Coordinates of all heavy atoms in Angstrom, one line a residue:
M1 N -30.6 0.0 28.9 CA -29.3 -0.1 28.1 C -29.7 -0.4 26.7 O -30.5 -1.2 26.3 CB -28.5 -1.3 28.7 CG -27.2 -1.5 28.0 SD -26.1 -2.5 29.0 CE -26.6 -4.1 28.3
P2 N -29.0 0.4 25.8 CA -29.3 0.2 24.3 C -28.9 -1.1 23.9 O -27.9 -1.7 24.3 CB -28.5 1.3 23.7 CG -28.1 2.3 24.7 CD -28.1 1.5 26.0
P3 N -29.7 -1.7 22.9 CA -29.3 -3.0 22.4 C -27.9 -3.0 21.7 O -27.5 -2.0 21.1 CB -30.4 -3.3 21.3 CG -31.4 -2.3 21.5 CD -30.9 -1.2 22.3
G4 N -27.2 -4.1 21.8 CA -25.9 -4.1 21.2 C -24.7 -3.5 22.0 O -23.6 -3.7 21.6
R5 N -25.0 -2.9 23.1 CA -24.0 -2.3 24.0 C -23.6 -3.4 25.0 O -24.4 -4.0 25.6 CB -24.4 -1.1 24.7 CG -24.9 0.1 23.9 CD -23.9 1.1 23.6 NE -22.9 1.4 24.6 CZ -22.8 2.6 25.2 NH1 -23.7 3.5 25.0 NH2 -21.9 2.8 26.1
P6 N -22.3 -3.6 25.1 CA -21.8 -4.6 26.1 C -22.1 -4.2 27.5 O -22.1 -3.0 27.8 CB -20.3 -4.8 25.9 CG -19.9 -3.5 25.2 CD -21.2 -3.0 24.5
L7 N -22.3 -5.1 28.4 CA -22.5 -4.8 29.8 C -21.2 -4.8 30.5 O -20.4 -5.8 30.4 CB -23.4 -5.9 30.5 CG -23.7 -5.8 31.9 CD1 -24.5 -4.5 32.2 CD2 -24.5 -7.0 32.4
H8 N -20.8 -3.7 31.1 CA -19.5 -3.6 31.8 C -19.7 -3.9 33.2 O -20.6 -3.3 33.9 CB -19.0 -2.1 31.6 CG -18.6 -1.8 30.2 ND1 -17.5 -2.2 29.6 CD2 -19.3 -1.1 29.3 CE1 -17.5 -1.8 28.3 NE2 -18.6 -1.1 28.1
R9 N -18.8 -4.8 33.7 CA -18.9 -5.1 35.1 C -18.2 -4.0 36.0 O -17.2 -3.5 35.6 CB -18.1 -6.4 35.4 CG -18.8 -7.6 34.8 CD -18.1 -8.9 35.1 NE -18.1 -9.1 36.5 CZ -17.5 -10.0 37.1 NH1 -16.7 -10.9 36.4 NH2 -17.5 -10.2 38.4
P10 N -18.8 -3.7 37.1 CA -18.2 -2.6 37.9 C -16.9 -3.2 38.5 O -16.8 -4.4 38.8 CB -19.2 -2.4 39.0 CG -20.1 -3.5 39.0 CD -20.1 -4.1 37.6
A11 N -15.9 -2.3 38.7 CA -14.7 -2.7 39.4 C -15.0 -2.8 40.9 O -15.6 -1.9 41.5 CB -13.6 -1.7 39.1
V12 N -14.6 -3.8 41.5 CA -14.8 -4.0 43.0 C -13.4 -4.3 43.6 O -12.6 -5.1 43.1 CB -15.7 -5.2 43.2 CG1 -15.9 -5.5 44.7 CG2 -17.0 -5.1 42.5
G13 N -13.2 -3.6 44.7 CA -11.9 -3.8 45.3 C -12.0 -3.5 46.8 O -12.3 -2.3 47.2
P14 N -11.7 -4.5 47.6 CA -11.7 -4.2 49.1 C -10.4 -3.5 49.5 O -9.4 -3.7 48.9 CB -11.8 -5.6 49.7 CG -11.2 -6.5 48.7 CD -11.5 -5.9 47.4
I15 N -10.6 -2.5 50.3 CA -9.4 -1.8 50.9 C -9.3 -2.3 52.4 O -10.3 -2.1 53.1 CB -9.6 -0.3 50.9 CG1 -9.7 0.2 49.4 CG2 -8.5 0.4 51.6 CD1 -10.1 1.6 49.2
R16 N -8.2 -2.8 52.7 CA -8.0 -3.4 54.1 C -7.0 -2.5 54.8 O -6.0 -2.1 54.3 CB -7.5 -4.8 54.0 CG -8.4 -5.7 53.3 CD -7.8 -7.1 53.2 NE -8.7 -8.0 52.4 CZ -9.7 -8.6 52.9 NH1 -10.0 -8.6 54.1 NH2 -10.4 -9.4 52.1
Q17 N -7.4 -2.1 56.0 CA -6.5 -1.3 56.9 C -6.4 -2.0 58.3 O -7.5 -2.3 58.9 CB -7.0 0.1 57.1 CG -7.0 1.0 55.9 CD -7.5 2.3 56.2 OE1 -8.7 2.4 56.4 NE2 -6.7 3.3 56.1
D18 N -5.2 -2.2 58.8 CA -5.0 -2.6 60.1 C -5.0 -1.3 61.0 O -4.1 -0.5 60.8 CB -3.7 -3.4 60.3 CG -3.8 -4.8 59.6 OD1 -4.9 -5.4 59.8 OD2 -2.9 -5.1 58.9
L19 N -5.8 -1.3 62.0 CA -5.9 -0.1 62.8 C -5.6 -0.5 64.3 O -6.0 -1.6 64.7 CB -7.3 0.6 62.8 CG -7.8 1.0 61.4 CD1 -9.3 1.4 61.5 CD2 -6.9 2.1 60.8
Q20 N -5.0 0.4 65.0 CA -4.8 0.2 66.5 C -5.7 1.2 67.2 O -5.5 2.4 67.0 CB -3.4 0.4 66.9 CG -3.1 0.5 68.3 CD -3.4 -0.9 69.0 OE1 -3.1 -1.9 68.5 NE2 -3.9 -0.8 70.3
C21 N -6.7 0.8 67.9 CA -7.6 1.6 68.6 C -7.2 1.6 70.1 O -7.2 0.5 70.7 CB -9.1 1.2 68.4 SG -9.7 1.4 66.8
D22 N -7.0 2.8 70.7 CA -6.9 2.8 72.1 C -8.2 2.6 72.8 O -9.3 2.5 72.1 CB -6.2 4.1 72.6 CG -7.0 5.3 72.3 OD1 -8.2 5.2 72.2 OD2 -6.4 6.4 72.4
T23 N -8.2 2.4 74.1 CA -9.4 2.0 74.8 C -10.5 3.1 74.6 O -11.7 2.7 74.3 CB -9.1 1.9 76.3 OG1 -8.2 0.8 76.5 CG2 -10.4 1.6 77.1
D24 N -10.2 4.4 74.7 CA -11.2 5.4 74.6 C -11.8 5.4 73.2 O -13.1 5.6 73.1 CB -10.6 6.8 74.9 CG -10.4 7.0 76.4 OD1 -11.0 6.3 77.2 OD2 -9.5 7.8 76.7
R25 N -11.0 5.3 72.2 CA -11.5 5.3 70.8 C -12.4 4.1 70.6 O -13.5 4.2 70.0 CB -10.4 5.3 69.8 CG -10.8 5.3 68.4 CD -9.7 5.4 67.4 NE -10.2 5.4 66.1 CZ -9.4 5.3 65.0 NH1 -8.1 5.2 65.2 NH2 -9.9 5.3 63.8
Y26 N -12.0 2.9 71.1 CA -12.8 1.7 70.8 C -14.1 1.8 71.6 O -15.2 1.4 71.1 CB -12.0 0.4 71.2 CG -12.7 -0.8 70.6 CD1 -12.8 -1.0 69.3 CD2 -13.3 -1.7 71.5 CE1 -13.4 -2.1 68.7 CE2 -13.9 -2.8 71.0 CZ -14.0 -3.0 69.6 OH -14.6 -4.1 69.1
L27 N -14.1 2.3 72.8 CA -15.3 2.5 73.6 C -16.3 3.4 72.9 O -17.5 3.3 73.0 CB -15.0 2.9 75.0 CG -14.3 1.9 75.9 CD1 -14.0 2.5 77.3 CD2 -15.1 0.6 76.0
G28 N -15.7 4.5 72.3 CA -16.6 5.4 71.5 C -17.3 4.7 70.4 O -18.4 4.9 70.1
Y29 N -16.5 3.8 69.7 CA -17.1 3.0 68.6 C -18.2 2.1 69.2 O -19.3 2.0 68.6 CB -16.0 2.2 68.0 CG -16.5 1.1 67.1 CD1 -17.1 1.4 65.9 CD2 -16.4 -0.2 67.4 CE1 -17.6 0.4 65.1 CE2 -16.9 -1.2 66.6 CZ -17.5 -0.9 65.4 OH -18.0 -1.9 64.7
L30 N -17.9 1.4 70.3 CA -18.9 0.5 70.9 C -20.1 1.2 71.3 O -21.3 0.8 71.0 CB -18.3 -0.3 72.1 CG -17.3 -1.3 71.8 CD1 -16.8 -1.9 73.1 CD2 -17.7 -2.4 70.9
A31 N -20.0 2.4 71.8 CA -21.1 3.2 72.3 C -22.0 3.7 71.1 O -23.2 4.0 71.3 CB -20.6 4.4 73.1
S32 N -21.4 3.7 69.9 CA -22.2 4.2 68.7 C -23.0 3.1 68.1 O -23.8 3.4 67.2 CB -21.2 4.8 67.7 OG -20.5 3.8 67.0
L33 N -22.7 1.9 68.4 CA -23.4 0.7 67.8 C -24.9 0.6 68.3 O -25.1 0.9 69.5 CB -22.7 -0.6 68.1 CG -21.3 -0.7 67.5 CD1 -20.7 -2.0 68.0 CD2 -21.3 -0.6 66.0
S34 N -25.8 0.3 67.5 CA -27.2 0.1 67.9 C -27.3 -0.8 69.1 O -28.2 -0.6 70.0 CB -28.0 -0.4 66.7 OG -28.0 0.6 65.7
A35 N -26.6 -1.9 69.1 CA -26.7 -2.9 70.2 C -26.4 -2.2 71.5 O -27.0 -2.6 72.5 CB -25.8 -4.1 69.9
S36 N -25.5 -1.2 71.5 CA -25.2 -0.5 72.8 C -26.3 0.6 73.1 O -26.7 0.7 74.2 CB -23.8 0.1 72.7 OG -22.8 -0.8 72.6
R37 N -26.6 1.3 72.0 CA -27.5 2.4 72.2 C -28.9 2.0 72.7 O -29.6 2.8 73.3 CB -27.6 3.2 70.9 CG -26.2 3.8 70.5 CD -26.3 4.6 69.2 NE -27.2 5.7 69.3 CZ -26.9 6.9 69.8 NH1 -25.7 7.2 70.2 NH2 -27.8 7.9 69.8
I38 N -29.4 0.8 72.4 CA -30.7 0.4 72.8 C -30.8 -0.1 74.2 O -31.8 -0.2 74.8 CB -31.3 -0.7 71.9 CG1 -30.5 -2.0 71.9 CG2 -31.4 -0.2 70.4 CD1 -31.2 -3.1 71.2
L39 N -29.6 -0.3 74.8 CA -29.6 -0.7 76.2 C -30.0 0.4 77.1 O -29.8 1.6 76.9 CB -28.2 -1.1 76.6 CG -27.6 -2.4 76.0 CD1 -26.1 -2.5 76.4 CD2 -28.4 -3.6 76.4
P40 N -30.6 0.1 78.3 CA -30.9 1.1 79.3 C -29.6 1.7 79.7 O -28.5 1.1 79.7 CB -31.5 0.3 80.4 CG -32.0 -1.0 79.8 CD -31.1 -1.3 78.7
D41 N -29.6 3.0 80.1 CA -28.4 3.8 80.4 C -27.5 3.0 81.4 O -26.3 3.0 81.1 CB -28.8 5.1 80.9 CG -29.4 6.0 79.9 OD1 -29.2 5.7 78.7 OD2 -30.0 7.1 80.2
D42 N -28.1 2.5 82.4 CA -27.2 1.9 83.4 C -26.5 0.6 82.9 O -25.4 0.4 83.2 CB -28.0 1.6 84.7 CG -29.2 0.7 84.5 OD1 -29.8 0.7 83.4 OD2 -29.6 0.0 85.5
H43 N -27.3 -0.2 82.1 CA -26.7 -1.4 81.5 C -25.6 -1.0 80.5 O -24.5 -1.7 80.4 CB -27.7 -2.2 80.8 CG -28.6 -2.9 81.8 ND1 -30.0 -2.9 81.6 CD2 -28.4 -3.6 83.0 CE1 -30.5 -3.6 82.6 NE2 -29.6 -4.0 83.5
R44 N -25.8 0.0 79.7 CA -24.8 0.5 78.7 C -23.6 0.9 79.4 O -22.5 0.5 79.0 CB -25.4 1.6 77.8 CG -24.4 2.1 76.7 CD -25.0 3.1 75.8 NE -25.6 4.2 76.4 CZ -27.0 4.4 76.5 NH1 -27.8 3.5 76.0 NH2 -27.4 5.4 77.2
E45 N -23.7 1.8 80.4 CA -22.6 2.3 81.2 C -21.8 1.1 81.8 O -20.5 1.1 81.8 CB -23.0 3.3 82.2 CG -23.5 4.6 81.6 CD -24.2 5.5 82.6 OE1 -24.1 5.2 83.8 OE2 -24.8 6.4 82.2
Q46 N -22.5 0.1 82.4 CA -21.8 -1.0 83.0 C -21.1 -1.8 81.9 O -19.9 -2.3 82.1 CB -22.9 -1.9 83.7 CG -22.3 -3.1 84.4 CD -23.4 -3.9 85.1 OE1 -24.6 -3.6 85.0 NE2 -23.0 -4.9 85.8
A47 N -21.7 -2.1 80.8 CA -21.1 -2.9 79.7 C -19.8 -2.1 79.2 O -18.8 -2.8 79.0 CB -22.0 -3.1 78.6
L48 N -19.9 -0.8 79.0 CA -18.8 -0.1 78.5 C -17.6 0.0 79.5 O -16.5 -0.1 79.1 CB -19.2 1.3 78.0 CG -20.1 1.4 76.8 CD1 -20.6 2.8 76.6 CD2 -19.4 0.8 75.6
A49 N -18.0 0.1 80.8 CA -17.0 0.1 81.8 C -16.2 -1.2 81.9 O -15.0 -1.2 82.0 CB -17.6 0.5 83.2
E50 N -17.0 -2.3 81.8 CA -16.3 -3.6 81.8 C -15.5 -3.8 80.6 O -14.4 -4.4 80.7 CB -17.4 -4.7 81.9 CG -16.8 -6.1 82.0 CD -16.0 -6.3 83.2 OE1 -16.1 -5.6 84.2 OE2 -15.1 -7.2 83.2
A51 N -15.9 -3.4 79.4 CA -15.1 -3.5 78.2 C -13.8 -2.7 78.4 O -12.8 -3.1 78.0 CB -15.9 -3.1 77.0
G52 N -14.0 -1.5 78.9 CA -12.8 -0.7 79.2 C -11.8 -1.3 80.1 O -10.6 -1.3 79.9
R53 N -12.3 -1.9 81.2 CA -11.4 -2.7 82.1 C -10.7 -3.8 81.4 O -9.5 -4.0 81.6 CB -12.2 -3.2 83.3 CG -12.5 -2.1 84.3 CD -13.0 -2.7 85.6 NE -14.4 -3.3 85.5 CZ -15.5 -2.6 85.6 NH1 -15.4 -1.2 85.7 NH2 -16.7 -3.1 85.4
L54 N -11.4 -4.5 80.6 CA -10.8 -5.7 79.9 C -9.7 -5.2 78.9 O -8.6 -5.7 78.8 CB -11.8 -6.5 79.1 CG -12.7 -7.4 80.0 CD1 -13.9 -7.9 79.2 CD2 -11.9 -8.5 80.6
L55 N -10.0 -4.1 78.1 CA -9.1 -3.6 77.2 C -7.8 -3.1 77.9 O -6.7 -3.4 77.5 CB -9.7 -2.5 76.4 CG -10.7 -2.9 75.3 CD1 -11.5 -1.7 74.8 CD2 -10.1 -3.7 74.2
D56 N -8.0 -2.4 79.0 CA -6.9 -1.8 79.7 C -6.0 -3.0 80.4 O -4.8 -2.9 80.4 CB -7.3 -0.9 80.8 CG -7.8 0.5 80.2 OD1 -7.4 0.8 79.1 OD2 -8.5 1.2 80.9
A57 N -6.7 -4.0 80.8 CA -6.0 -5.2 81.4 C -5.1 -5.9 80.4 O -4.2 -6.7 80.7 CB -7.0 -6.1 82.1
H58 N -5.5 -5.7 79.1 CA -4.8 -6.5 78.0 C -4.0 -5.5 77.0 O -4.1 -5.8 75.8 CB -5.7 -7.4 77.3 CG -6.3 -8.5 78.1 ND1 -5.6 -9.7 78.4 CD2 -7.4 -8.6 78.9 CE1 -6.3 -10.4 79.2 NE2 -7.4 -9.8 79.5
G59 N -3.5 -4.5 77.6 CA -2.6 -3.6 76.7 C -3.2 -2.3 76.4 O -2.5 -1.5 75.8
G60 N -4.4 -2.0 76.8 CA -5.0 -0.6 76.6 C -5.4 -0.3 75.2 O -5.5 0.8 74.8
G61 N -5.8 -1.3 74.5 CA -6.4 -1.1 73.1 C -6.7 -2.4 72.4 O -6.6 -3.5 73.0
I62 N -7.0 -2.3 71.2 CA -7.3 -3.5 70.4 C -6.9 -3.2 68.9 O -7.0 -2.1 68.4 CB -8.9 -3.7 70.5 CG1 -9.2 -5.1 69.9 CG2 -9.7 -2.6 69.9 CD1 -10.6 -5.5 70.2
D63 N -6.5 -4.3 68.3 CA -6.2 -4.2 66.8 C -7.5 -4.5 66.1 O -8.2 -5.5 66.4 CB -5.2 -5.3 66.4 CG -3.8 -5.0 67.0 OD1 -3.5 -3.8 67.2 OD2 -3.1 -6.0 67.3
V64 N -7.8 -3.7 65.1 CA -9.0 -3.8 64.3 C -8.7 -3.9 62.8 O -7.9 -3.1 62.3 CB -10.0 -2.6 64.6 CG1 -11.2 -2.7 63.7 CG2 -10.3 -2.5 66.0
L65 N -9.2 -4.8 62.1 CA -9.1 -4.9 60.7 C -10.3 -4.2 60.1 O -11.5 -4.7 60.3 CB -9.0 -6.3 60.2 CG -9.1 -6.5 58.6 CD1 -7.8 -5.8 58.0 CD2 -9.1 -8.0 58.3
Q66 N -10.1 -3.1 59.4 CA -11.2 -2.4 58.8 C -11.2 -2.7 57.3 O -10.2 -2.6 56.6 CB -11.1 -0.9 58.9 CG -12.1 -0.1 58.2 CD -11.9 1.4 58.5 OE1 -11.8 1.8 59.6 NE2 -11.9 2.2 57.5
V67 N -12.3 -3.2 56.8 CA -12.4 -3.5 55.3 C -13.5 -2.7 54.7 O -14.6 -2.6 55.2 CB -12.8 -5.0 55.1 CG1 -12.9 -5.4 53.7 CG2 -11.7 -5.9 55.8
T68 N -13.1 -2.0 53.7 CA -14.1 -1.1 52.9 C -14.2 -1.6 51.5 O -13.2 -1.7 50.8 CB -13.6 0.4 52.9 OG1 -13.4 0.8 54.3 CG2 -14.6 1.3 52.2
D69 N -15.4 -2.0 51.1 CA -15.6 -2.4 49.7 C -15.8 -1.2 48.8 O -16.6 -0.4 49.2 CB -16.7 -3.4 49.6 CG -16.4 -4.7 50.2 OD1 -15.3 -5.3 50.0 OD2 -17.3 -5.3 51.0
V70 N -15.1 -1.2 47.7 CA -15.2 0.0 46.8 C -15.9 -0.6 45.5 O -15.4 -1.5 44.9 CB -13.9 0.6 46.5 CG1 -14.0 1.7 45.5 CG2 -13.2 1.1 47.8
F71 N -16.9 0.1 45.1 CA -17.6 -0.2 43.8 C -17.5 1.0 42.9 O -17.9 2.1 43.2 CB -19.0 -0.6 44.1 CG -19.2 -1.8 44.9 CD1 -19.3 -1.7 46.3 CD2 -19.4 -3.0 44.4 CE1 -19.4 -2.8 47.1 CE2 -19.5 -4.2 45.2 CZ -19.6 -4.0 46.5
L72 N -16.9 0.8 41.7 CA -16.9 1.8 40.7 C -17.6 1.3 39.5 O -17.4 0.2 39.0 CB -15.4 2.1 40.4 CG -14.5 2.6 41.5 CD1 -13.1 2.7 41.1 CD2 -15.0 3.9 42.1
A73 N -18.4 2.1 38.9 CA -19.1 1.8 37.7 C -19.1 2.9 36.7 O -19.0 4.1 37.1 CB -20.5 1.4 38.0
R74 N -19.1 2.6 35.5 CA -19.0 3.6 34.4 C -20.4 3.7 33.8 O -21.1 2.7 33.6 CB -18.0 3.2 33.4 CG -17.8 4.2 32.3 CD -16.7 3.8 31.4 NE -16.9 2.4 30.9 CZ -15.9 1.8 30.3 NH1 -14.8 2.3 30.0 NH2 -16.2 0.5 29.9
T75 N -20.9 4.9 33.6 CA -22.2 5.0 32.9 C -22.1 4.6 31.5 O -21.0 4.8 30.8 CB -22.7 6.5 33.0 OG1 -21.8 7.4 32.4 CG2 -22.9 6.9 34.5
L76 N -23.1 4.1 31.0 CA -23.1 3.6 29.6 C -23.8 4.6 28.7 O -24.6 5.3 29.0 CB -23.8 2.3 29.4 CG -23.1 1.2 30.2 CD1 -24.0 -0.1 30.1 CD2 -21.7 0.9 29.7

């Protein structure tokens, strides 16, 4: 940065979204997580099946708060 130029702070803003995920969508999300993917196939299938049963027993979905942090910076 050239001397004498002020340092500009980047703009930061979280974007919050309330989402409703049905059972299938949420199970797809769970299956994509590393914690699920590293399980042996039979354990992963058992865990996802149990999660699906629990979700279906309590309304067939789950509310999820998705927070995305946005960083914008200007070049100097």
Side-chain angles (χ1 to χ4, degrees):
M1 182 165 87
R5 300 266 325 248
L7 179 63
H8 295 280
R9 292 183 61 188
V12 178
I15 298 173
R16 299 176 185 277
Q17 290 180 296
D18 290 315
L19 304 174
Q20 171 66 37
C21 292
D22 63 19
T23 298
D24 288 338
R25 181 175 178 190
Y26 195 69
L27 291 178
Y29 166 71
L30 290 178
S32 73
L33 298 176
S34 296
S36 294
R37 296 180 60 87
I38 63 171
L39 292 173
D41 291 343
D42 57 331
H43 290 135
R44 180 175 53 253
E45 291 169 11
Q46 183 180 4
L48 292 173
E50 183 61 24
R53 281 192 290 278
L54 286 169
L55 289 168
D56 286 340
H58 294 277
I62 190 169
D63 294 328
V64 177
L65 173 62
Q66 177 178 310
V67 179
T68 304
D69 289 316
V70 178
F71 297 87
L72 302 173
R74 186 174 51 190
T75 59
L76 299 176

